Amino acid sequence: MSIKGKAYIAGIYEHPTRKADDTSVAHLHAESAKGALEDAGLGLGDVDGYFCAGDGSGVLTMANYLGLRPRHIDSTDCGGSSYILHVGHAAEAIALGKCNVALITLAGRPRTDPNFAASMRANNAASPEYPFEHPFAPTTVAMYAMAAARHMHEFGTTSEQLAWVKVAASHHAQWNPNAMLREVVTVADVLASPMIADPLHRLDCCVITDGGGAIVVTSPEIAKSLARPRVKVLGAGEAPKHQMGGRIDLSFSAARWSGPPAFAEAGIAPADIQYASIYDSFTITVVMQLEDLGFCAKGAGGRFVADGNLISGVGRLPFNTDGGGLCNNHPSNRGGLTKVIEAVRQLRGEAHPKVQVPNCGLAIASGIGGSLATRHASATVILERE
Amino acid sequence: MSEASRRIAAPRPDPESAPFWDAARRGALLLKRCRACGNAHYFPRPICPFCMSAETEWIEATGAGTIYSFSVMRRAAPSYALAYVTLDEGVTMMTNLVDCDFDALKVGMRVKVAFKPSDGGPPVPMFTPL
């Protein structure tokens, strides 16, 4: 049994805000849900499956707020990759007849909610590893920086190579009127930006944005009844990676375990992919995922992303053509939903003309949620324009 | 440059990890090793994460290790070095590198444990270059 061809993405919506001073998280979820359902040509009453991670107050609160009556729910939370995982889970539920119209929502206000950071910390304080980590002040950026430092040590990856990931994203963001950062930057600009945690500079790090988004996944029958371009789910994979009892190996991410099953289910190879949405919390995150997903050999990620190879119309693998988390949007510090959205835009031919991949038929959205250096989960979906 | 003035958050021991923090007070670094499968693990747990046996025992580490990776948080005031250190016993633990020149640190350097006081709690295991 597989999910291949059993579900379609029929609706997408990326909330235009990047700073939501006067909007609640629940309202951002609701506006996003409304936008995605309208995009699909469906309504509130059509939704019978609901997927909502830990951003905001969770699946029950949001089902209540939205007025949903699902017969299938899923609150899997693996950080920013949750929404990519939800697409795979939605396809599974739809394939089994557990629901026909699955709604996935995300929203958050890390920029304007003064309690955002404190509520994150409170969630973690009871974890068994907390006494063995918290005293050392492991910030997100420092932990990703440790992964970058190890990658440089093992494979000779350079800061210049990492910088190319940001450069490529900025080339795309310039065409996105909603992007938080629209200025095209050079490698020199990235290296000249302040060092935050060695070896990551400020421009190696994604933006912090308020916002949200939603996705609607449907059965084939419903997809075929809608007057919309059809984006079919071909395959999905997911896997966590942690500290393995102390046998820590930062040289690879969980994408090594989420990618191959997704490709196998889809029956295609990385070389077939025409557009890639790759989670870009930091430049190193992209480099490692490209290796682990099989776009290049282990350790060759730095060389792969250099010299504009990720720039649409220039390189071999157009990536994050909305500008990604590095330049456009990383709502609630969770960038997985916007990754799926841009892949769907590309497959529909609805990306900006300056970045649209001609005749885009096969795309991937893959993401890392959590911390590369401690505990994270990778989720991968492969999509096709029908 | 050291970060001697950084306030270190106190760990709150749970019942199973109390021996680790008691040993920390006398300057000893403890690990758990499984009597059933022979593997050491970190952070210490009562049930082995490799084979699920409950036959885990405390062992005292030499305190010697190698820097696996690190990052200096330049924007923090004072700056500090987050690190992973691989102990000679084969497990890698999160820590800080202290009492050293941050600009001279390298992956692969040999280090030894140095317990530092926490703010109102037991001392915590940090590492300093040999």
Side-chain angles (χ1 to χ4, degrees), chain A residues 9-12 39 215 229 231 275 277 338-351 363 365 383:
Chain A
I9 297 181
I12 52 171
D39 180 59
I215 296 167
V231 173
Y275 167 79
S277 271
T338 40
K339 296 293 158 297
V340 176
I341 285 179
E342 186 66 3
V344 173
R345 287 194 191 109
Q346 280 281 353
L347 291 169
R348 288 174 169 185
E350 291 175 359
L383 307 172

Side-chain angles (χ1 to χ4, degrees), chain A residues 302-365:
Chain A
R303 291 192 295 286
F304 185 87
V305 303
D307 305 322
N309 202 32
L310 302 179
I311 299 177
S312 185
V314 172
R316 274 176 20 230
L317 186 69
F319 115 117
N320 299 9
T321 47
D322 62 325
L326 285 167
C327 298
N328 169 34
N329 196 9
H330 200 74
S332 199
N333 300 338
R334 291 162 173 256
L337 197 136
T338 40
K339 296 293 158 297
V340 176
I341 285 179
E342 186 66 3
V344 173
R345 287 194 191 109
Q346 280 281 353
L347 291 169
R348 288 174 169 185
E350 291 175 359
H352 191 284
K354 291 285 194 181
V355 300
Q356 176 68 54
V357 173
N359 228 10
C360 190
L362 278 168
I364 186 173

Side-chain angles (χ1 to χ4, degrees), chain B residues 17-103:
Chain B
S17 64
F20 180 94
W21 301 107
D22 292 339
R25 288 190 177 88
R26 59 179 173 83
L29 178 62
L30 294 192
L31 303 174
K32 271 292 186 78
R33 185 172 58 205
C34 177
R35 278 197 289 268
C37 71
N39 290 301
H41 69 261
Y42 189 86
F43 56 92
R45 310 142 162 86
I47 292 181
C48 176
F50 292 107
C51 76
M52 216 171 224
S53 166
E55 298 295 309
T56 59
E57 61 184 356
W58 294 104
I59 60 169
E60 189 164 328
T62 63
T66 307
I67 297 178
Y68 177 84
S69 191
F70 72 97
S71 177
V72 180
M73 274 291 288
R74 299 281 175 191
R75 302 281 278 181
S79 58
Y80 64 94
L82 181 70
Y84 269 137
V85 165
T86 302
L87 300 176
D88 289 356
E89 288 80 8
V91 295
T92 301
M93 57 185 285
M94 184 181 289
T95 188
N96 291 155
L97 299 169
V98 295
D99 303 331
C100 58
D101 176 5
F102 289 158
D103 295 326

Side-chain angles (χ1 to χ4, degrees), chain A residues 276-312:
Chain A
S277 271
I278 305 293
Y279 203 91
D280 53 349
S281 44
F282 301 90
T283 51
I284 183 65
T285 323
V286 175
V287 167
M288 288 179 63
Q289 287 171 92
L290 290 171
E291 295 174 353
D292 296 334
L293 292 168
F295 287 99
C296 62
K298 187 72 224 157
R303 291 192 295 286
F304 185 87
V305 303
D307 305 322
N309 202 32
L310 302 179
I311 299 177
S312 185

